[in-house]
Amino acid sequence: MIEYIKGELTEITPTVAVVEAAGVGYALNISLNTYTAIQTKKEVKLYVHEALVTGGRDDSYSLYGFFSKQERELYRMLISVSGVGSNTARMILSATTPAELVNVISSGNEKMLKSVKGIGLRTAQRIIVDLRDKMAASGIIADLESGAAASASVLTPQQSEVREEAVGALTMLGFSPAPSSKVVTEILRAHPDTPVEQVIKQALKLIK
């Protein structure tokens, strides 16, 4: 079993990342969350889920890559729900951040889940019923909260002010606060002295 792949990011699209490790290029299916997190990086580490489909005319073997263990855990929980396949789970994780998805399921927000292509009312209800208690028992909620706190703590007070102003502007433009905060934080980590207007411009390119 492959736990993770670490190496040079040689190709990337919003749905697939190619990582070269030890001379081998691995194509991994990714979510938009992972795409946003790694698209500007040269070296990456992606946690892997292996999917083997048998029984049809042709067997298939695919790799799914995730920027964090928490996103991979949520993916595995989603595909354990009857009626939720690999691509549907990836679409759900592309429509929300891991933290947002946890909130959606914990609060029983059927409307949000139904807004994802391929998810009907019954499937949305099944996801909530099947995963609400499972998520609480797994500890993933605490992991996501501690991870968010750690991400915020790496910024200086001045950078935190820039982040808050940029996220506020992006929210007013119609973007969700959680993914906006994530993108802005990554920009400030890579370029600590970027003024707020440039941060907003870069973020608009990354979260579209």
Side-chain angles (χ1 to χ4, degrees), residues 128-148:
I128 292 168
V129 170
D130 288 2
L131 300 188
R132 181 183 280 164
D133 292 340
K134 188 181 292 187
M135 285 191 320
S138 71
I140 193 170
I141 297 175
D143 288 343
L144 287 168
E145 289 175 347
S146 63

Side-chain angles (χ1 to χ4, degrees), residues 7-8 14 17 20 31 41 57-58 61 78 86-87 123 199 206:
E8 180 185 358
E20 182 176 336
S31 70
K41 299 180 182 295
R57 176 178 294 181
D58 297 306
Y61 175 72
L78 286 168
S86 298
N87 287 330
T123 302
V199 170
L206 295 175

Side-chain angles (χ1 to χ4, degrees), residues 69-105:
K69 284 186 176 181
Q70 289 80 16
E71 186 181 19
R72 182 179 64 179
E73 185 174 357
L74 283 171
Y75 174 84
R76 287 173 170 171
M77 287 183 182
L78 286 168
I79 61 175
S80 74
V81 178
S82 177
V84 179
S86 298
N87 287 330
T88 300
R90 182 168 59 161
M91 277 192 280
I92 293 171
L93 288 167
S94 294
T96 65
T97 66
E100 285 176 332
L101 179 58
V102 167
N103 288 333
V104 165
I105 294 174

